[in-house]
Amino acid sequence: MNNWIAAALTLFISLVWLRVMDFAAQRGWIDSRLSRKVIHITTGPVFVLCWLMFSDGLEARWLAAAIPFLITVQFALIGLGIIKDEASVQAMSRSGDRREILRGPLLYGIVFVVLTLIFWKNSPIGMTALMLMCGGDGIADVVGRRVKSPKLPWSPDKSVAGLVSVLIGGFAMAIFILWVYIAARVLPGPLSGYIVPVAILSLTAAAVESLPFRDIDNLTVTVGVVLVGYLVF
């Protein structure tokens, strides 16, 4: 597919999904905290799967990275109050404070821009790091708040259930994306060759996510996974 058309379709798909979640949160059909995490978990895989529409041209990764860049700029303008968008604030903030968007959601977008440019679809490291950030970190909050389990001694705000969900959820999402890319003949197979590396990176993501940091998990988890990824892939 022509890369400009692929970029237009990717932008359209991403914006439609975000507006659907914004609408649902604003109408009260879904809790704002849950909508924030649903966006966190699902937007990444949708975006990475859209990479398959792009060709191998030199401009492909730049056009693809422009999508999260434009959306991140929009987030920043909303968080700063320059753009008034109450639906987005309700969908992406915990408390309804627009300034929350300038933390987690903004880092989320920046990470996608950077990893798209650095790794693109030629390396499993970037894809795995993104999926562990989306699936691992996002699922941890959803499961951790709904499943009763002991709190982590070194991080009282986080639980054993959340830690396990990072490991399992992130691993499953990363393996699924890699399977799709192997099936599409973009990455070399077999899938079995990726299981151990992804398991190690899932453990890395779980360990980093369990640390008592707030609002910077999108950055710390991704950086940790990328650094270890260079060792295992």
Side-chain angles (χ1 to χ4, degrees):
M1 183 180 293
N2 178 278
N3 286 324
W4 286 94
I5 296 176
L9 285 173
T10 301
L11 179 61
F12 175 76
I13 292 168
S14 299
L15 290 178
V16 166
W17 176 239
L18 287 173
R19 297 317 297 182
V20 166
M21 294 308 303
D22 292 348
F23 182 77
Q26 189 177 39
R27 288 297 183 94
W29 297 345
I30 183 172
D31 176 74
S32 61
R33 182 182 290 273
L34 180 58
S35 70
R36 185 173 184 266
K37 288 304 176 181
V38 171
I39 291 172
H40 184 105
I41 295 167
T42 59
T43 303
V46 169
F47 175 62
V48 172
L49 289 174
C50 283
W51 289 357
L52 292 170
M53 294 189 295
F54 290 82
S55 73
D56 295 327
L58 294 176
E59 78 283 359
R61 73 176 68 200
W62 292 94
L63 287 173
I67 308 306
F69 174 77
L70 291 173
I71 294 174
T72 302
V73 170
Q74 180 190 24
F75 288 171
L77 293 175
I78 293 172
L80 292 169
I82 297 173
I83 293 179
K84 305 297 182 182
D85 189 340
E86 189 58 31
S88 293
V89 172
Q90 291 299 321
M92 291 186 291
S93 66
R94 296 186 183 95
S95 64
D97 184 348
R98 59 174 171 77
R99 289 170 294 185
E100 289 184 21
I101 298 175
L102 298 175
R103 298 194 288 270
L106 192 65
L107 284 176
Y108 182 93
I110 292 172
V111 164
F112 265 90
V113 173
V114 173
L115 292 195
T116 300
L117 291 175
I118 293 175
F119 294 105
W120 189 220
K121 56 184 179 179
N122 306 315
S123 169
I125 297 176
M127 295 181 205
T128 302
L130 290 173
M131 292 309 100
L132 289 173
M133 179 188 71
C134 297
D137 179 47
I139 292 173
D141 186 75
V142 174
V143 174
R145 294 181 182 278
R146 286 162 176 75
V147 177
K148 291 184 178 180
S149 66
K151 297 295 184 180
L152 299 176
W154 61 91
S155 189
D157 291 335
K158 300 180 180 181
S159 67
V160 172
L163 182 65
V164 173
S165 67
V166 173
L167 184 61
I168 297 175
F171 176 85
M173 189 173 288
I175 285 295
F176 170 72
I177 292 295
L178 293 176
W179 171 74
V180 171
Y181 270 77
I182 291 170
R185 301 179 184 274
V186 177
L187 291 176
L191 181 63
S192 59
Y194 295 85
I195 291 178
V196 172
V198 173
I200 293 172
L201 294 181
S202 298
L203 286 168
T204 302
V208 175
E209 202 280 333
S210 74
L211 298 175
F213 300 136
R214 189 176 180 85
D215 293 328
I216 59 170
D217 290 353
N218 292 337
L219 181 60
T220 56
V221 168
T222 306
V223 171
V225 171
V226 166
L227 292 177
V228 178
Y230 279 111
L231 301 176
V232 299
F233 276 119

